[in-house]
Amino acid sequence: EAHMEKIRKYFPTILLITILLVATALRLYKISEYMTFLGDEGRDALMIRRILVEHDLPLIGPPTSIGNIYLGPLYYYMMAIPMAISWLNPVAAAYQVALIGVLTVWLIYYLGKQWFGKLAGGLAAYLYAISPVNITYSRSSWNPNPAPFFALISIWGLYMGQKFKDFRWLILTGAGIAAASQMHYLALILIPIAGDLDLDIVTLQ
């Protein structure tokens, strides 16, 4: 009975570690051979070269698909860190996106556990970890790919602010929305959602 109690106690931790290991393996396995590197990725890599070699710091980011509208430059500076370490090897940026994808799996587990229980959180994280679409997009350096991570960060801030009735968590929400909207303009939909909940948190002070 004591043995079974230990299993029940540590099973959620073992399950989470297993899911994260599966997510990591699926995203990193032969990533240099399977990563996508087309026009957008090449454009971004050339921009990182300008940053690191010519010290030309951009104030705008990649163009959107809806015309002469540009995203913020955050993704360029995110890419610059791993590509500086590997010195302009674009595979390093793909590794960074893959690891962000693994962190996204953990956030899904955490939020799912908080809202619906450990089983639901584990199932949601597992499905996201093995999703072929998410795996594909986590294996290449493209600016929309980290957007789910930053969107979840903003939701996490809202959740913690509501839970503890502490408006300081809204700083995390704002940072998450700012980062997500620089990955893809569709993340702007988070602003009215966060604004409504932010008012509730502030009112409760």
Side-chain angles (χ1 to χ4, degrees):
E1 185 175 345
H3 182 65
M4 291 300 297
E5 183 63 30
K6 284 185 178 180
I7 292 177
R8 283 194 293 268
K9 179 180 179 181
Y10 293 109
F11 178 75
T13 302
I14 295 172
L15 176 64
L16 174 60
I17 292 173
T18 302
I19 291 172
L20 293 177
L21 288 175
V22 169
T24 303
L26 291 174
R27 284 156 177 77
L28 295 183
Y29 178 70
K30 293 186 177 181
I31 189 171
S32 61
E33 299 178 28
Y34 293 114
M35 62 177 280
T36 301
F37 194 80
L38 300 175
D40 288 348
E41 292 83 1
R43 174 205 63 205
D44 294 343
L46 289 174
M47 180 60 70
I48 303 309
R49 184 185 183 282
R50 287 175 56 185
I51 293 174
L52 297 177
V53 176
E54 303 173 20
H55 307 294
D56 181 6
L57 304 180
L59 299 179
I60 59 173
T64 67
S65 57
I66 57 174
N68 248 357
I69 300 177
Y70 291 80
L71 300 170
L74 175 62
Y75 186 69
Y76 289 154
Y77 294 107
M78 287 173 55
M79 285 181 64
I81 298 172
M83 288 185 66
I85 295 172
S86 65
W87 197 243
L88 302 179
N89 187 345
V91 178
Y95 273 108
Q96 176 181 250
V97 172
L99 294 177
I100 290 174
V102 175
L103 288 175
T104 305
V105 173
W106 177 82
L107 271 175
I108 289 173
Y109 172 80
Y110 174 80
L111 291 174
K113 181 183 72 171
Q114 296 297 315
W115 295 338
F116 307 110
K118 295 177 181 178
L119 180 60
L123 180 60
Y126 174 71
L127 292 175
Y128 190 91
I130 65 170
S131 166
V133 173
N134 289 315
I135 292 170
T136 299
Y137 284 120
S138 292
R139 292 167 65 84
S140 62
S141 178
W142 188 36
N143 54 281
N145 296 351
F149 172 76
F150 292 114
L152 286 173
I153 288 290
S154 67
I155 298 299
W156 184 21
L158 288 173
Y159 167 71
M160 297 299 284
Q162 289 275 14
K163 181 178 180 179
F164 295 108
K165 307 299 185 289
D166 189 344
F167 70 92
R168 287 174 294 183
W169 281 101
L170 301 183
I171 297 173
L172 182 63
T173 298
I177 293 176
S181 61
Q182 291 192 56
M183 302 298 112
H184 199 283
Y185 63 88
L186 288 180
L188 293 172
I189 197 173
L190 292 168
I191 294 176
I193 298 172
D196 182 56
L197 293 176
D198 288 357
L199 288 175
D200 292 340
I201 297 172
V202 173
T203 303
L204 291 171
Q205 300 305 310

